[in-house]
Each structure stands twice: as C-alpha cells, then as structure tokens.
Amino acid sequence: MTGGATGIGLGIVRRLLDDGASVLVAALGPEELKRAVGGLPDTAGFAGDLAVPGEADRMVAHALGEFGRLDILVNNAGGGVIRPTLEHTEETLRATIDNNLWTTIRATLAALPPMVERGYGRIVNIGAESVRNGLVDHAIYNAAKGGVHAMCTGLAREFAHAGITVNTVAPSYVQTPEITEALAAGRFGEQYLNVLERATELIPMARPGSVADVAGAVAYLAGPDAGFVTGQAISVNGGSSMG
C-alpha cells in the first residue's frame, strides 16, 4: 500500500486489514509511518521515495521478506501542486509528475515479477476523476493521473494471461480527515477554497466523497469477487461525470 500513512491511503489500509489482509504500508518519512502503523495489527512499514530508482524494488523485497508473498499492490502514492497551468514552475511540474506517475510506474514494475511467478495479482491504482471532468487548475495533475489511467489499460491486457488484474479507482473530491482539520483551522488560501467549492459543485450528490467510499471500491477490486474485472477505471464521484 503506497502512500498509506494518511488520508485515503490510511483508510484503504484499515479496510484491507478488516478484510483479512496483511499490509505493508509505504510512506515517505519514518515519523508519519510510525504514527500510521503504530498499533495496527498485521502491518509492516517501509519509508522511501518511490519516485527514486531502486526504492520500489526495496519496498517489494521488504514485503516479500515480511509476508512471504505479494498478492495486492495499491498505488496511492501521489500528491501534486494544484495551480493554474501558467503558474507552474519546472520544480512543481517535476514534483507533480514524479509523485503521481513515476511512483506508480516504479512500484508496478517492482511488483509484477513476483505476481507473474505466482500466477496471481491484483493491482489497483488511485487515479482521479478530474481527468474526466476537467476540474479547474488540474491540467498538470491530470497529465500525471491520465498517464496512470492509460498505463492501467495497457498492463491489464498484457498481464491478463498471468492471472493479474489491473484497475483504477478514480475519486472525485474526497474530504479526508486532514482536509477537514485544515478547513476548521483556516489553513487553506482563497484559491484552494475556490477549487474545493468548484469540485463540490460538480457533484450531483452535493457532498464530497468519503475515505470509506474510496476504500470500499479498492477492497472490491483487490478481492476475489473482481477476478473477471480488469482494465477498468471505476469512478467514485457522486455522479460528477457519468457514462
């Protein structure tokens, strides 16, 4: 479980644990990792930047050492700079692509060999509904997440014969505990608040998604009931885009 120490990632970790999985939680820093997995049963931790060559290989080796096999990879590591396109810098462009696309590519490439060897695997990527609905100020973020969506379909076809499914869960605006806390503390600037307002306006159900909404979709795709589902982008969006 990459990006598993906070927000949507931690919610998915808890759901997978409830469903009986043992989970390696990967995050950037050891302190956030300690806060996340401390007290959780059947978990191990890995701290590293998965956009850096070699780190994903170390993560998979650690998972195999802890649990003896790798059945599921959830690619949730991400986070980018959301701003008007012409305000991006070389640094923010690189960070947005690295954090969302390269982390997913490297983790997937590291996880595939042991899955192919066993003839079984479930890869679930966390994409973004903004790829479909064109949410304001998300063009560069969408370029990265759009790459994740596109890679999903190619891998699904390439590895279907090996018993491996590859799918993407695409959430719309999800109000994580961290966002709720930041809103209450007034830590968001006006520009970001405007983005959140626009995101909510796009949702016919007139509410943000919850972490549990996303975790439920991931749990389905990662489980045995989705054995004939592959190459799909499942929108968890309250109806913000349809069809």
Side-chain angles (χ1 to χ4, degrees), residues 32-147:
E32 64 174 344
L33 198 57
K34 183 178 179 181
R35 288 194 298 271
V37 302
L40 289 179
D42 300 317
T43 58
F46 175 84
D49 183 352
L50 298 179
V52 175
E55 287 296 277
D57 295 309
R58 288 203 311 117
M59 176 188 70
V60 169
H62 189 50
L64 293 172
E66 288 284 339
F67 303 122
R69 70 189 207 199
L70 178 61
D71 297 327
I72 301 164
L73 169 66
V74 181
N75 283 310
N76 178 64
V81 179
I82 306 301
R83 62 174 54 168
T85 302
L86 296 180
E87 293 181 13
H88 272 281
T89 65
E90 180 65 24
E91 181 180 358
T92 62
L93 289 170
R94 189 174 300 276
T96 303
I97 301 299
D98 283 354
N99 291 344
N100 293 283
L101 182 55
W102 272 113
T103 56
T104 300
I105 291 172
R106 295 194 192 284
T108 301
L109 291 177
L112 277 168
M115 289 182 175
V116 170
E117 184 177 353
R118 287 193 64 234
Y120 180 89
R122 299 281 188 268
I123 298 174
V124 184
N125 304 315
I126 302 302
E129 189 62 14
S130 58
V131 171
R132 295 180 67 195
N133 64 30
L135 184 61
V136 66
D137 294 345
H138 279 61
I140 303 305
Y141 177 77
N142 288 349
K145 287 296 190 182

Side-chain angles (χ1 to χ4, degrees), residues 10 28 33 61 65 67 75 82 89 131 175 179 182 195 200 203 217 237:
L10 185 55
L28 276 173
L33 198 57
F67 303 122
N75 283 310
I82 306 301
T89 65
V131 171
Q175 190 160 319
I179 289 178
V195 170
T200 305
I203 301 173
N237 66 8

Side-chain angles (χ1 to χ4, degrees), residues 200-215:
T200 305
E201 288 173 353
L202 288 171
I203 301 173
M205 288 188 177
R207 69 165 178 87
S210 70
V211 170
D213 292 329
V214 181

Side-chain angles (χ1 to χ4, degrees), residues 1 13 16-25 41-44 63 66-72:
M1 177 72 219
V13 169
L16 294 177
L17 290 172
D18 287 344
D19 289 352
S22 299
V23 183
L24 178 81
V25 182
D42 300 317
T43 58
E66 288 284 339
F67 303 122
R69 70 189 207 199
L70 178 61
D71 297 327
I72 301 164

